[in-house]
Amino acid sequence: MTTRNGVQKRALEVAEDNERIRRNAERFAGGLSIRRPDELASLSQAWTIRALDPNAYTGRVDGWHHGRLMVTHSRGDAVTFHRSRAHLGDGNDRHIQICLIKTGKIVTRQRGQESAGRTDSLLTLLLDHEFLSTSSNDMDVLLFHVPRSYFEARGINTATMAASVLDRVPVAEAIRSLVASAISLQRAGDDSLRDYLERSILELLTGLGTLFEEGFELMDKHSVGLRANVLGILEAEYADPGTSAETLAKAVGVSRRQLYRLFEGRNVSVAGMLRERRLDHAELLLRQPGNAPISSIAEASGFSGPDQLSRAMRDRHGRTPREYRAAFRST
């Protein structure tokens, strides 16, 4: 059995990995123009990047990072992205990459599946598996780097997101507008809307994430409806400390065992989804200006008390709530 010390040690390793990812994202915070293939190749970290034309490449990369979301806006000539076995285990493998294409075409292959995305397509990749992607010239794409656990905690089976494509994404322009605002405000040194922009983009991506399951659903319609009801109640009532797997089961008229069967095969249990949502909310409150008491933040997030919040923070980040707040402000 995994000990609490083991869990917290793992959390510290995750925090260190996230810090490396954050530092990598900051390379593009001011925008980076690329004029040669060797300059492009030097950006390789989580994967190997190569220009299709070995003699010429021009492009530009802008980046934005906040909380649990990293965004890269990439424009340029044709390239290949290869995440090989040698790259796995680098911390990025706990994330999903989501590509929103504005112009150009991307063809990708992962886990034996090949997919192609074009204008207004959304293409997803699991970073704990190898993949090979090739883009066309005149590529203009937004790349979102999101923890896999973020989607799992919202009831999304991320196993369906390997080399998957959604065409004609209805909220494509809304997402692009939010990202453009985030990058523009960053250049102006205005941090006032970072939490709002992070939440808004993640909410839109979460809504799109639920669509990937439609072609993979093995449950009957009644069970699918029950699961949707559970997720709706959980989202509305997670901040109530009295909300639990038992109360959710009672609210939809099933037993606790039946409730858990609705989410079989997921990486996060119903109780885990509750805990993750509460912890996400607590993190958001800890990022706010001022020094609200930890006990108030715990209560407002649905935890039974500050000790329960502290244990959850240590399990995720290897830090206490106060340490998390101080570390966030220092960056």
Side-chain angles (χ1 to χ4, degrees):
M1 181 178 291
T2 303
T3 65
R4 180 157 294 278
N5 285 340
V7 170
Q8 292 178 5
K9 179 181 178 182
R10 181 59 177 157
L12 285 171
E13 293 172 353
V14 171
E16 290 171 0
D17 287 339
N18 289 340
E19 178 61 18
R20 282 193 290 272
I21 292 170
R22 185 188 68 80
R23 288 197 300 268
N24 181 46
E26 286 183 345
R27 294 188 298 164
F28 310 119
L32 181 65
S33 294
I34 307 162
R35 297 180 177 84
R36 301 193 313 269
D38 60 317
E39 292 180 346
L40 177 70
S42 70
L43 301 181
S44 301
Q45 283 195 8
W47 35 71
T48 299
I49 310 174
R50 293 285 185 269
L52 282 188
D53 182 345
N55 300 310
Y57 179 84
T58 57
R60 180 177 175 83
V61 181
D62 290 275
W64 186 84
H65 180 272
H66 187 67
R68 308 189 75 184
L69 175 66
M70 185 172 81
V71 186
T72 305
H73 184 193
S74 179
R75 290 144 287 172
D77 297 330
V79 300
T80 62
F81 291 83
H82 184 205
R83 184 163 171 83
S84 67
R85 188 178 300 275
H87 293 106
L88 303 183
D90 61 355
N92 289 283
D93 51 3
R94 288 183 291 275
H95 294 73
I96 291 176
Q97 180 174 283
I98 302 173
C99 313
L100 177 60
I101 303 168
K102 183 175 183 180
T103 60
K105 177 182 177 181
I106 297 177
V107 178
T108 193
R109 185 173 184 83
Q110 183 174 62
R111 287 169 53 174
Q113 179 169 322
E114 183 171 292
S115 300
R118 298 171 178 79
T119 298
D120 285 345
S121 291
L122 195 79
L123 188 152
T124 60
L125 293 161
L126 304 180
L127 297 187
D128 59 347
H129 287 76
E130 301 173 64
F131 70 82
L132 177 64
S133 297
T134 303
S135 72
S136 66
N137 283 317
D138 299 321
M139 175 186 68
D140 187 331
V141 61
L142 293 175
L143 304 176
F144 302 92
H145 208 65
V146 184
R148 193 167 177 173
S149 61
Y150 182 89
F151 291 116
E152 292 281 355
R154 286 151 181 82
I156 297 171
N157 183 5
T158 56
T160 64
M161 300 173 78
S164 293
V165 173
L166 286 176
D167 291 320
R168 296 183 295 277
V169 174
V171 293
E173 281 306 314
I175 295 174
R176 291 191 190 106
S177 178
L178 287 167
V179 172
S181 295
I183 292 174
S184 177
L185 289 169
Q186 177 175 259
R187 288 175 182 159
D190 185 346
D191 292 337
S192 61
L193 296 178
R194 291 177 78 88
D195 282 330
Y196 164 78
L197 290 166
E198 179 208 18
R199 291 200 311 276
S200 298
I201 294 169
L202 285 174
E203 285 176 7
L204 289 172
L205 294 177
T206 299
L208 294 172
T210 62
L211 301 179
F212 284 100
E213 296 189 307
E214 290 186 353
F216 298 86
E217 190 57 70
L218 301 178
M219 290 184 172
D220 59 89
K221 290 184 178 180
H222 177 66
S223 296
V224 171
L226 283 176
R227 192 171 66 192
N229 287 341
V230 171
L231 292 172
I233 297 169
L234 187 152
E235 186 65 27
E237 299 185 6
Y238 70 84
D240 180 352
T243 301
S244 65
E246 288 78 6
T247 63
L248 289 171
K250 185 176 181 179
V252 297
V254 299
S255 68
R256 193 171 187 269
R257 175 174 291 186
Q258 288 174 310
L259 177 71
Y260 276 89
R261 287 187 63 186
L262 290 172
F263 295 91
E264 276 185 330
R266 308 304 172 95
N267 291 329
V268 181
S269 67
V270 176
M273 285 191 282
L274 265 172
R275 188 172 187 259
E276 290 290 309
R277 290 298 291 113
R278 287 167 173 163
L279 194 49
D280 285 346
H281 189 69
E283 287 183 13
L284 179 63
L285 296 180
L286 286 165
R287 297 179 201 168
Q288 303 308 307
N291 290 288
I294 302 302
S295 57
S296 299
I297 289 174
E299 181 180 357
S301 303
F303 289 99
S304 61
D307 290 342
Q308 188 185 45
L309 170 58
S310 185
R311 284 194 297 272
M313 290 292 294
R314 284 184 179 276
D315 288 348
R316 179 185 279 186
H317 296 291
R319 295 169 170 164
T320 66
R322 287 186 177 83
E323 289 168 344
Y324 173 86
R325 178 156 58 190
F328 181 83
R329 290 178 180 178
S330 71
T331 60

